[in-house]
Amino acid sequence: VSVLYCKLIVVKNMSQEMDSVCSEHSASGEQFEGRNNRKDWTENQKKDFWKQKRKEKKARRQERNSTKKEVQQEKWQTLSEEEQNALKAQALQVHEKRRAEREATEALCRHNLNSKETPIVIYDLSFWDTMSDAGKRSTIAQIKFSFSALKKACFNLRPVITSYNEADVLQKALRDYEGFTNFSPDFHREQFNQVFTEMPCTYLSADSANVLSALESQNCYVIGAFVDHNSQKGATEQFATSLKVTTARLPLSETIKDLGNLCKVLTINHVTDCLSEFKTSGSWEKAFEALPTRRKDVAAKV
């Protein structure tokens, strides 16, 4: 009940913020139909709304930080010299500990990315031209989410992007993503089966009759990186079969009880989450805990 109440409060606040921005636009003479008709907003109206929201959020954060700094400064002035020196030494220890942890994490990431024993997860963009603009943007976002999850897991799977087209604006923006500054996936213009000719590849497809039971070292696991809302059913299976590439599906129905049909097709980042967690824990039950509530609201099979 408390969670629902909090959600209602958030929605109410969002509604008030949107109405406030709508009023500002109306006062300036610009047509702004209101919150209920926001689907009809122009791109400029949408940008203005979110710009105003970010500005207000930044102002609130600055105010909180300023207040916190004043309180800390007042408290600091009440301390003796010995107490101040002790806090400085403690802060230095914390800083050195965090620096050491960060360096160790970065070293592990580089080791896993360079290791031949790390399984490869490929994001295949072969279906790019079959998507709408909205689907393309969603695909880019899901690949970014996937990369973040792999980075958090110290790249226990090595990310690779194939069928990359640098002439495409959205794909070019993906390669220039600031999140790839320190670590970046490998980009290849060629199709995955032309890049990894000497390594076994398994194309993950919800329509496959084969079940993925393990993640093998020196193997490639291909994710069809496209968003179709299940409108192209069987496309990945047919595509992989035409290339004579083995297909497999995650063992959802073998692991989760009473799985509905709509739960068999996962997003790009959800598949990545499951693979990464399975690589870490070795348990599909544990891996599927990464899925949204509606996909794990039934008990795992015993």
Side-chain angles (χ1 to χ4, degrees), residues 244-263:
K244 297 182 180 180
V245 174
T246 303
T247 63
R249 60 177 174 82
L250 300 185
L252 281 168
S253 58
E254 288 76 15
T255 307
I256 301 178
K257 184 180 179 181
D258 298 329
L259 185 68
N261 290 332
L262 295 179
C263 296

Side-chain angles (χ1 to χ4, degrees), residues 104-144:
T105 299
E106 291 179 354
L108 180 58
C109 287
R110 290 192 176 88
H111 173 269
N112 288 340
L113 287 173
N114 295 326
S115 174
K116 293 182 179 180
E117 297 300 315
T118 303
I120 297 173
V121 58
I122 299 173
Y123 299 96
D124 176 34
L125 297 176
S126 297
F127 291 89
W128 184 261
D129 292 332
T130 68
M131 292 185 288
S132 64
D133 289 342
K136 292 176 181 178
R137 288 192 293 269
S138 181
T139 296
I140 295 297
Q142 291 182 33
I143 292 177
K144 290 178 180 179

Side-chain angles (χ1 to χ4, degrees), residues 12-73:
K12 183 178 179 181
N13 292 338
M14 286 281 291
S15 174
Q16 292 174 348
E17 290 177 2
M18 296 177 80
D19 289 337
S20 173
V21 175
C22 291
S23 300
E24 291 178 6
H25 280 272
S26 298
S28 64
E30 183 178 355
Q31 291 185 354
F32 208 86
E33 295 298 331
R35 177 174 58 84
N36 294 330
N37 295 323
R38 59 185 179 274
K39 291 183 179 180
D40 299 327
W41 288 0
T42 65
E43 288 299 320
N44 287 336
Q45 288 172 330
K46 294 177 183 177
K47 290 179 181 178
D48 288 344
F49 168 71
W50 291 111
K51 182 179 180 180
Q52 177 66 21
K53 187 176 179 183
R54 287 193 296 268
K55 182 179 179 181
E56 293 174 355
K57 184 177 180 180
K58 181 178 179 181
R60 291 194 297 268
R61 183 174 64 250
Q62 289 176 339
E63 184 178 358
R64 287 195 303 268
N65 291 340
S66 178
T67 302
K68 182 179 179 180
K69 186 175 181 180
E70 290 177 1
V71 172
Q72 290 177 338
Q73 190 64 30

Side-chain angles (χ1 to χ4, degrees), residues 69-86:
K69 186 175 181 180
E70 290 177 1
V71 172
Q72 290 177 338
Q73 190 64 30
E74 291 176 1
K75 184 178 180 180
W76 180 263
Q77 297 298 333
T78 63
L79 299 177
S80 66
E81 184 176 352
E82 283 187 6
E83 291 173 327
Q84 291 180 356
N85 291 335

